[in-house]
Amino acid sequence: MPPVPPLPSVTVVLDRHDDVLHTHTALVAHHPPSGRITLHPGPGTTSETGLAHDLLVALGKPPLLPGRFPGGRQPAWEAATAWLTALPVARLTVLRAHRLTARRTMRLLQLQARTGIHLTLVCHRPHLPAALHQALRTVDYSVTADFEAARRHYYGTPIAEPPPSDEPAVSASRWLTLPALDRLVSYDSPRPCAAPCTPPPIAWRHRPPPVPLTAHTAQRVAQRLHTATAHPRLAAALTAALFTGASLQQLATARPRDYDDAAATLALHDRVRYTDGCAAYPVPPWAGIFLRAAACFTRFLAGEDQELPAAPGDRGHLLHMAVTARLRPPQPPTARRKGPVGRVEWDWRERQEAERYEAISADRARPSRR
């Protein structure tokens, strides 16, 4: 095991006169693709969960996680920690830190301990409040009141301005039709392996592999998934469906140990060979973030025995997320639709196969004319 690097010292910025220049500079530094997050906690709330929701919003995600959770508590901090672990985020600046309770500050310090992120707390007062001082006694920290030094902490050293975007804006309301989602709601029902299993690489003997996404399409899909949900496992399930072509039932056979980040593979299980048996699928680079976040999130909540992507019981939430992201499989012609125009039909491929099978069975049952 390589040695664990020491945690960076927490930086406390004293904005003695509540200068708007500090706030503006920190907010402008916010640029997640460059690894910088600026968190401006919402006013009027002192709850720890509310701060986690603010952090998810700062990451560009909806603040709420769909689904039911033990004790009725949304695992918002676990989700935020998982995303910060997976995303290339190195700096977190928290404004209005003088308003944080000791418990909220401890949450941020625990977040830093788990992710190794560089944490900067901006206190818009000439002195540290008692609650902040109490929480900081547990960590190594430094204090500065110099604006240029603070700016270097907001941006990093050397100061990295946001790169210009050369990608034209594409309407997120347009549907992306992805054939790899054809089997997402397939009726197969594989089960996870009870004994240790080391699947071989996928051979694609019984079905063609899904067509890999182009770099441009993969970028659009990733952007949409990042903004459609804060739930790492839902995002990972749809991501995995795109590079495996597997159903939700088969995706749910994977556990955190089945994802190998170093080898960039995801193992799915299928003991009775509904499709290709137990096999390891190569994970494309764009999808790794979602699998890493899901693995981290799952270990926080339930250890190694919980489904890595979404479970079959999450199907409704998964399909709702896909519709929110405007991602769908190929749709039937208007004349063959079962539902109203505009509603996504997820089982079109399954219906086609069932109709062909029924036609073949009827033809074989028809008496011979000889």
Side-chain angles (χ1 to χ4, degrees), residues 66 181 184-185 225 229 231 233-239 241 247-249 251 309-325 327 346:
L181 296 179
L184 184 62
V185 297
L225 289 178
T229 186
H231 201 308
R233 291 175 58 220
L234 290 181
L238 201 62
T239 299
S247 67
L248 176 57
Q249 285 89 339
L251 293 173
D314 297 318
R315 171 173 157 165
H317 296 301
L318 178 65
L319 299 186
H320 177 75
M321 182 203 69
V323 171
T324 300
L327 306 176
W346 293 94

Side-chain angles (χ1 to χ4, degrees), residues 99-230:
R99 294 180 176 174
L100 295 175
T101 62
R103 291 179 63 87
R104 295 177 102 196
T105 305
M106 288 303 299
R107 278 288 194 176
L108 291 171
L109 298 179
Q110 292 167 5
L111 179 74
Q112 188 216 21
R114 280 181 163 176
T115 63
I117 200 168
H118 188 288
L119 178 62
T120 300
L121 304 175
V122 185
C123 178
H124 304 270
R125 292 291 185 272
H127 305 287
L128 290 181
L132 188 58
H133 185 267
Q134 175 187 350
L136 289 171
R137 291 172 60 185
T138 63
V139 297
D140 179 37
Y141 73 97
S142 61
V143 180
T144 183
D146 180 73
F147 172 74
E148 287 303 323
R151 188 168 185 264
R152 286 193 293 272
H153 286 294
Y154 303 155
Y155 279 93
T157 306
I159 292 175
E161 303 289 352
S165 176
D166 56 0
E167 186 71 23
V170 178
S171 174
S173 64
R174 296 181 184 175
W175 284 101
L176 287 180
T177 300
L178 305 167
L181 296 179
D182 266 335
R183 295 188 63 252
L184 184 62
V185 297
S186 176
Y187 307 135
D188 61 13
S189 54
R191 296 286 186 269
C193 293
C197 175
T198 305
I202 179 67
W204 303 110
R205 294 188 181 93
H206 305 290
R207 59 189 173 101
V211 178
L213 302 183
T214 65
H216 178 63
T217 300
Q219 181 184 26
R220 293 172 66 188
V221 168
Q223 289 173 345
R224 292 185 182 198
L225 289 178
H226 275 304
T227 58
T229 186

